[in-house]
Amino acid sequence: MKKSPNHRLSDQVLFALGRASQHAQRLVRQHMTEGGVRTLHYHVLASLADDGESVQATLADRIGMDRSDLVTLLDELEELKLLARRVDAADRRRKIVAITPAGEKHLTDMDQLIYAAEADLLAPLTAAERKTLLALLRRVSGD
C-alpha cells in the first residue's frame, strides 16, 4: 500500500482504518480475480451457507443488493449448479434459494482466497499483533 501524502487526517484512526479497508478490499478483489471467481458470488453463497436458505427478496436485503440485480446473479449461480431455487409452497410467486453441495465446496475454495488476501494484508504484523488488532477491531465495532 502506498504511503498517504501528508493528509490532514493522516493521524486519525478513522482515516487509517479507511485506508486499511480499501487496501484489504483491493487484495480480496485481486485474489478472487486471480482465482477466477466473482466476489458477488461469494456474498450470495456465504449468506446462504451462514444464514440458511432464503426467499430471493430477503436474500437481496441480507446482502444489500438490488433485487433485480440479484436475479441475474442467481441465474449465474444456478447455471453453475452452486445454488438451487424452488417455488415457495406458501406463496407460489416467491422463490426460495438454497446453496447446493457444489456451492458449499466452491465457497470453501473462495474462503481460501480470502484467507490468502488477509495473509497478504497482515504480513507486516506478528502473530501477537494480529491477535491484538482483531481484538481491538472487535471492541470498536461492538462485536
Side-chain angles (χ1 to χ4, degrees), residues 24-76:
Q25 290 171 27
R26 273 192 301 273
L27 288 169
V28 168
R29 281 191 306 271
Q30 175 188 335
H31 281 268
M32 291 290 204
T33 299
E34 289 171 1
V37 297
R38 295 188 55 202
T39 305
L40 287 174
H41 287 181
Y42 182 83
H43 293 299
V44 170
L45 294 175
S47 179
L48 292 172
D50 295 346
D51 300 319
E53 66 181 27
S54 176
V55 173
Q56 285 182 189
T58 303
L59 177 61
D61 293 342
R62 265 191 341 213
I63 64 173
M65 187 171 200
D66 180 83
R67 291 174 184 188
S68 59
D69 292 338
L70 179 64
V71 171
T72 303
L73 202 56
L74 295 179
D75 289 344
E76 292 172 11

Side-chain angles (χ1 to χ4, degrees), residues 102-119:
E104 292 274 4
K105 183 191 178 321
H106 190 64
L107 180 60
T108 299
D109 294 342
M110 288 192 292
D111 283 339
Q112 297 306 312
L113 297 170
I114 290 176
Y115 299 152
E118 181 176 280

Side-chain angles (χ1 to χ4, degrees), residues 118-134:
E118 181 176 280
D120 287 351
L121 177 71
L122 300 178
L125 303 180
T126 66
E129 289 171 329
R130 291 174 188 205
K131 194 173 187 176
T132 299
L133 176 62
L134 181 58

